[in-house]
Amino acid sequence: MKYTQGQYIIKEKSAIAREIYSFTISCPEVAAAACPGQFVHIRAKGFTLRRPISICGIDKEKGTLRIVFEIRGEGTAEIAKLNAGDLIDILAPLGHGFTVNPDFKKVVLIGGGIGTPPMLPLAKAYGDRAAAISGFRNASAVILQEDFRKTGAETILCTDDGSAGIHGFVTQPFTELAEKGGIDAVYACGPMPMLKGIAAICKEKNIYCEISLEERMACGIGACLGCACRTVRNDEEYFAHVCKDGPVFKAEEVLW
Amino acid sequence: MADMSVKVCGVDFKNPIIPASGVFGYGREYEELFPLDKLGGIATKGTTLHLRTGNLAPRIAETPSGMLNSVGLQNPGIDHFIETELPYLLTKDLVVLANIAGSTPDECAEVAAKLEDTDVHMIELNISCPNVKQGGAAFGTSCEMAAEVTKRVRAVTKKPLVVKLSPNVTSIADIAKSVEAAGADAVSLINTLLGMRIDINTGRPILRNNVGGMSGPAVFPIAVRMVWQVANAVNIPVIGMGGVSSGRDAIELMMAGASAVQVGAAIFTDPYAPVRIVEEMNDWLNSKGISSVKDIIGTVKPW
């Protein structure tokens, strides 16, 4: 099985910041197949299109997945109305995830805003070999910092307004880490300008970099070709699709 | 169990449900979820003579009870289809409708000609895609052009020829009559309705193409009306589609005159929709004591 669709029980729900929710879903067969960087496609009652949400936690032993999402519009607001004990309709696990290489000795994980959750399974995989840089608008938007610390990763927090952690963008501490050298890989998810900046630094320093993209999608599995993304493969321009070829791409493949 | 089989242009379908072109790729992605042979047929992704990259993203926007798309006929080209996708589909027990498109009548004919020596069951000629600048809806919105393209394709193929019609016209019945006269064996309708959404925070249309094709439950009543009008205007079979999301919808479209039913956007909400719809139709027929789904085709009793 690559992916499946079904209704699964929400085991836990919590609000972890303003309009940001965490669900833990009991779905053993999905958890067994899931990898860091993949996503779940959630049916929102009353809406035609499902909502793609990245996977924030995979517990293969307990058979659970964790997702953390922000209310962005009416569809995600509908999903946020679900409670522990309710059934959630998901099509999952979907997409091409991050490459986890056990030989990497030092990796940097960079999350911007609601792009932070997919970094957590990587932090779990790499433990103290990872530095997790997270950036948010302000202190009230900060999420998951304790979860990152528990993995053993070095955690670096930034806010745009300086109300928590470093005052500034994630690219500042990342540039400092990159200057020191010894980084085997960088993984990032967040707003496009942030990803573009990180990709440029990695290119300059010759560091392997994977990024997770977002696009409006319909089917989620590569059939409808809605979520096109301009990439280069084998020196040729190619419309890849975020749902199936991504959401994770090598930064060097993306045409910004 | 009711008899769910139907016959369209002499081709036997084990049930009347067909995933519509564009939503189902060439079937492989959905085979992860259910065996394709549960379907009556498959209308494959619109395929052109050469590879097409399609339109820039965003290509998708949601609407109340529906969606817009502007994919722009992204496809790998007819040779790839014949070499790679068609042999795979022909191993499945279902009818394959090869949906084809082109920028000129000659191109449409060339694509159809390439299929002539294959075992594809039917050709669905798309003269109604609203997301391409040349061909597409430009062919499907004039009786003369629709007839011209149909004639050119008819001349090169003996395969059953279904012509897929655009709803973005003044009289779809007139277009249907013109393609019937030009040699179409059946018509399928409706393709998507031209629509637009604007992000009021940026002032920009959500779709990069500005406009796109609308589908989903919101268009269903328009589909019922047009299928009914066309079924009353032509003597060839009608394949109905547009916003079908339940067995009741499919039955309604068949009562309006459809001999088979395609399912599109509903698959995005529920990937099992085509299979579920077959089961729901069967349950309804059984509950009414109707032994064959064929018996409901065109049975609407207008006031």
Side-chain angles (χ1 to χ4, degrees):
Chain A
M1 182 208 83
K2 275 197 270 185
Y3 44 82
T4 188
Q5 179 264 332
Q7 300 211 356
Y8 299 93
I9 289 182
I10 299 171
K11 301 290 281 184
E12 290 171 22
K13 174 193 184 182
S14 58
I16 61 170
R18 188 179 139 78
E19 303 208 312
I20 299 180
Y21 293 87
S22 169
F23 284 179
T24 301
I25 303 162
S26 179
C27 48
E29 65 269 32
V30 180
C35 306
Q38 289 188 297
F39 68 97
V40 301
H41 214 21
I42 305 176
R43 184 167 178 177
K45 194 180 166 195
F47 292 84
T48 302
L49 298 179
R50 288 169 178 264
R51 266 55 179 176
I53 304 288
S54 62
I55 293 172
C56 173
I58 306 162
D59 191 327
K60 293 185 191 287
E61 280 177 21
K62 288 185 184 163
T64 59
L65 278 189
R66 183 185 183 193
I67 55 167
V68 167
F69 66 98
E70 184 177 27
I71 295 181
R72 289 262 187 98
E74 292 173 357
T76 39
E78 189 62 36
I79 295 166
K81 287 181 189 166
L82 295 169
N83 288 308
D86 289 345
L87 291 171
I88 185 166
D89 184 329
I90 61 173
L91 173 60
L94 301 182
H96 169 78
F98 291 108
T99 311
V100 178
N101 186 333
D103 295 334
F104 286 169
K105 293 189 170 56
K106 177 74 180 172
V107 301
V108 180
L109 320 176
I110 309 174
I114 204 62
T116 308
M119 293 298 125
L120 194 55
L122 286 175
K124 201 173 161 190
Y126 285 110
D128 61 7
R129 290 177 288 152
I133 308 173
S134 313
F136 302 93
R137 286 186 306 278
N138 53 47
S140 68
V142 173
I143 53 171
L144 302 174
Q145 294 308 289
E146 187 52 34
D147 299 81
F148 277 104
R149 269 189 289 275
K150 279 184 191 163
T151 66
E154 178 191 359
T155 60
I156 302 167
L157 173 65
C158 309
T159 53
D160 298 353
D161 66 355
S163 54
I166 299 166
H167 185 177
F169 297 134
V170 292
T171 40
Q172 293 170 20
F174 172 55
T175 305
E176 288 166 26
L177 282 176
E179 290 293 340
K180 285 183 198 163
I183 299 170
D184 294 311
V186 171
Y187 305 89
C189 182
M192 281 300 261
M194 181 195 107
L195 296 177
K196 198 173 172 180
I198 291 163
I201 297 166
C202 289
K203 190 175 179 187
E204 189 198 322
K205 304 283 183 194
N206 200 23
I207 305 171
Y208 178 76
C209 178
E210 292 185 357
I211 54 163
S212 179
L213 297 181
E214 191 177 36
E215 187 52 77
R216 290 169 181 270
M217 63 177 65
C219 74
I221 58 176
C224 76
L225 311 185
C227 53
C229 157
R230 290 175 64 220
T231 58
V232 172
R233 280 190 187 168
N234 305 324
D235 293 329
E236 278 188 26
E237 191 174 326
Y238 166 76
F239 265 136
H241 294 280
V242 170
C243 72
K244 188 176 179 180
D245 305 305
V248 175
F249 293 91
K250 289 177 185 168
E252 67 201 41
E253 290 180 347
V254 177
L255 289 172
W256 299 94
Chain B
M1 179 81 189
D3 174 9
M4 296 298 288
S5 68
V6 293
K7 191 177 272 230
V8 183
C9 322
V11 178
D12 290 314
F13 289 71
K14 74 170 94 60
N15 68 61
I17 298 300
I18 306 161
S21 177
V23 301
F24 212 71
Y26 297 110
R28 293 180 196 269
E29 288 80 11
Y30 286 92
E31 186 132 56
E32 285 290 323
L33 298 171
F34 55 82
L36 295 183
D37 61 14
K38 285 183 177 285
L39 304 167
I42 174 176
T44 55
K45 171 72 196 164
T47 304
T48 50
L49 189 57
H50 303 293
L51 172 151
R52 280 182 65 99
T53 53
N55 296 329
L56 289 172
R59 295 175 171 182
I60 302 283
E62 191 162 49
T63 64
S65 205
M67 61 174 285
L68 299 174
N69 89 81
S70 63
V71 171
L73 285 181
Q74 180 178 359
N75 78 90
I78 192 67
D79 290 340
H80 173 92
F81 172 73
I82 291 170
E83 285 158 24
T84 309
E85 307 295 347
L86 184 58
Y88 163 77
L89 283 172
L90 289 173
T91 64
K92 313 293 170 187
D93 176 24
L94 81 175
V95 175
V96 181
L97 293 87
N99 185 289
I100 64 164
S103 303
T104 63
D106 277 345
E107 194 181 323
C108 293
E110 204 172 335
V111 179
K114 280 177 179 273
L115 289 165
E116 198 54 12
D117 292 332
T118 72
D119 291 328
V120 75
H121 305 99
M122 303 174 95
I123 291 175
E124 182 175 55
L125 171 63
N126 180 0
I127 59 165
S128 46
C129 175
N131 296 322
V132 292
K133 286 190 175 66
Q134 290 173 316
F139 294 154
T141 49
S142 120
C143 288
E144 292 73 26
M145 276 306 293
E148 172 66 19
V149 183
T150 305
K151 249 184 229 162
R152 300 291 279 275
V153 173
R154 175 78 293 165
V156 299
T157 184
K158 292 185 177 64
K159 303 270 187 199
L161 175 61
V162 186
V163 180
K164 184 168 175 177
L165 306 182
S166 169
N168 303 306
V169 295
T170 311
S171 171
I172 196 167
D174 287 345
I175 306 269
K177 282 192 275 190
S178 72
V179 301
E180 179 184 32
D185 297 307
V187 286
S188 58
L189 57 140
I190 55 176
N191 204 322
T192 52
L193 287 125
L194 202 57
M196 182 175 186
R197 294 296 310 266
I198 296 167
D199 179 338
I200 61 168
N201 291 314
T202 62
R204 283 203 186 273
I206 293 174
L207 298 176
R208 181 63 181 257
N209 198 43
N210 297 318
V211 298
M214 183 174 166
S215 56
V219 313
F220 178 64
I222 300 168
V224 177
R225 183 264 291 181
M226 289 190 165
V227 164
W228 180 63
Q229 288 179 328
V230 168
N232 282 300
V234 297
N235 295 309
I236 51 178
V238 176
I239 298 174
M241 78 194 95
V244 172
S245 58
S246 69
R248 299 184 73 89
D249 291 344
I251 286 162
E252 193 173 330
L253 216 45
M254 291 184 78
M255 283 184 170
S259 296
V261 173
Q262 296 190 11
V263 178
I267 295 173
F268 302 148
T269 316
D270 171 11
Y272 285 92
V275 178
R276 173 175 52 78
I277 288 170
V278 174
E279 289 166 4
E280 289 172 355
M281 292 176 84
N282 180 51
D283 290 347
W284 185 88
L285 292 166
N286 288 339
S287 74
K288 298 288 179 191
I290 300 169
S291 59
S292 168
V293 73
K294 289 186 279 288
D295 294 342
I296 63 169
I297 298 169
T299 55
V300 58
K301 295 170 278 192
W303 298 96

